[in-house]
Amino acid sequence: MAHSNDPRVQVITHATNQGVGGAVATGYRAAVAAGAEVVVKLDGDGQMDPALIPALVRPIAAGTADYVKGNRFHRLGYLRGMPATRLFGNASLSLLTKASSGYWQLFDPTNGFTAIHATLLTEIDLNRLARRYFFESDLLYHLNQVRAVVADLPMPATYGEETSSLRPARMVVPFLAGNLYNLVRRIGYSYFLRGFSVASLELLASLPLLLFGLGFGAWHWLVSVQSGETASAGTVMLAALPLILGTQLLLSWLNFDVGSEPRQPIHPMLARMRPSHGTDSSM
C-alpha cells in the first residue's frame, strides 16, 4: 500500500504500536475527517472478499442498520477450513459478548469485516475503546450504549497459510475480564442510571435470593454431612424456595434484556441533527 499510485489511498502510521484497536480508531477518525458517510473496515489477512462490501454497506444505506458485521457461522458450509481452535474460541466469545453487549441475536463478535455509519463514530468516544484484539467486542458494547442497530452479514471466510499474531490461549483472560467488566457497566448504565424499570427490581431481588439460597443450602449440607443427620424438610425448603424464586426473577430479567435490543436505527436521527458531511465516500 505504501507503493500505491492511487491518490485515494492514504497511509497513516503510528510512532508507537497502538494495537489493532488503536489502528482502527485512527482510521475511523481519518475517514470521518475526510467526510465519509459509511466507513468499512476490511482486515488485510485475505480472509474477507472485497466483493461483499456492497452487501455489507447496503443495510446502512437503506437505513435499516447503523453497524453491519460479518458472520462466518451463519451456515455450516462457511466453517469449512476454519481452525478448530478458532471455531471453539469464536463460539465461546460469542456467548460472552452477547451478554456484555446486549446484542443477543449476533454471532461471531471478533469478525473484522465491518461497516459503520460515520455519525455513530462521532457519538462514541474512540479514545475509550480497547486497543488490542478486544476492540470489536468492546465496540459492540459502546454501540449498545448509543442504542445503535447492529446487523450480521452471512459470509464465508478463507483460511490459507497466513499466520496470525492472535494467540487464543493468551486472549482467554483478557476477553473474559473485558466482557465481565462491560456486562457490569451495561447493567449499571441501562438499568440503574439511564432507566429504572420492573426489570431492574427483578434483577435486584434475584441476586440476594440466589446468594442466600446457595449459601444457606451449602452450609446446612456441610453440617448434615459432618453430623450424619438428614436436614429437615423445613431447612430444605428454606434453601430451595429462594433459589427457585431467584432463578425465576433472573430469567424474567433476561427475557426483558433480550427483548430490549435496539430495533430502530439511530443514524438517520443523528444525521438530521448535524450539518451535512458533504460528498459521500467510504474507507
Side-chain angles (χ1 to χ4, degrees):
M1 191 172 286
H3 303 286
S4 173
N5 295 320
D6 192 329
R8 298 172 298 176
V9 176
Q10 178 185 1
V11 179
I12 303 173
T13 59
H14 288 153
T16 58
N17 187 353
Q18 297 187 27
V20 62
V24 175
T26 297
Y28 279 162
R29 293 188 188 95
V32 172
E37 180 179 353
V38 178
V39 185
V40 173
K41 181 173 83 71
L42 178 69
D43 289 346
D45 53 12
Q47 296 177 15
M48 301 151 191
D49 186 358
L52 292 175
I53 290 178
L56 188 74
V57 174
R58 193 171 295 120
I60 300 176
T64 59
D66 298 302
Y67 179 81
V68 183
K69 51 173 285 300
N71 179 7
R72 295 162 291 185
F73 291 77
H74 185 74
R75 296 180 184 173
L76 292 178
Y78 290 167
L79 303 180
R80 294 171 185 168
M82 179 180 288
T85 53
R86 290 199 179 191
L87 182 62
F88 176 77
N90 275 285
S92 302
L93 289 175
S94 291
L95 180 60
L96 288 173
T97 307
K98 285 172 183 284
S100 67
S101 68
Y103 291 109
W104 291 96
Q105 308 306 318
L106 297 184
F107 214 76
D108 198 10
T110 59
N111 195 301
F113 191 36
T114 68
I116 186 171
H117 198 278
T119 55
L120 272 299
L121 296 175
T122 62
E123 289 293 306
I124 296 171
D125 185 356
L126 296 177
N127 293 321
R128 299 184 62 186
L129 292 175
R131 285 293 180 263
R132 295 187 61 78
Y133 291 106
F134 189 61
F135 174 81
E136 283 91 359
S137 299
D138 197 33
L139 179 58
L140 287 173
Y141 159 78
H142 285 85
L143 288 170
N144 181 274
Q145 292 306 298
V146 298
R147 305 302 294 165
V149 172
V150 179
D152 271 346
L153 173 71
M155 59 165 285
T158 303
Y159 291 91
E161 298 180 355
E162 70 277 355
T163 58
S164 173
S165 59
L166 176 62
R167 297 293 180 266
R170 297 181 182 178
M171 294 294 104
V172 170
V173 174
F175 270 77
L176 179 61
N179 277 299
L180 289 176
Y181 177 60
N182 281 348
L183 174 61
V184 173
R185 284 202 297 173
R186 184 174 72 84
I187 290 175
Y189 293 155
S190 300
Y191 290 94
F192 301 104
L193 292 180
R194 292 192 313 185
F196 195 87
S197 64
V198 173
S200 306
L201 295 174
E202 290 174 338
L203 185 61
L204 278 176
S206 68
L207 298 180
L209 287 169
L210 288 171
L211 290 175
F212 174 81
L214 287 171
F216 184 84
W219 170 257
H220 282 277
W221 178 78
L222 289 174
V223 170
S224 178
V225 170
Q226 293 174 355
S227 65
E229 297 180 1
T230 303
S232 65
T235 299
V236 173
M237 291 302 296
L238 193 55
L241 284 177
L243 283 174
I244 295 172
L245 183 57
T247 300
Q248 290 296 324
L249 289 172
L250 186 61
L251 290 175
S252 180
W253 168 81
L254 183 60
N255 181 66
F256 179 90
D257 194 56
V258 172
S260 64
E261 184 173 325
R263 305 292 181 188
Q264 182 66 37
I266 192 68
H267 78 260
M269 181 186 302
L270 295 175
R272 288 193 292 268
M273 295 169 58
R274 288 183 171 83
S276 174
H277 288 295
T279 303
D280 294 349
S281 60
S282 61
M283 171 187 165

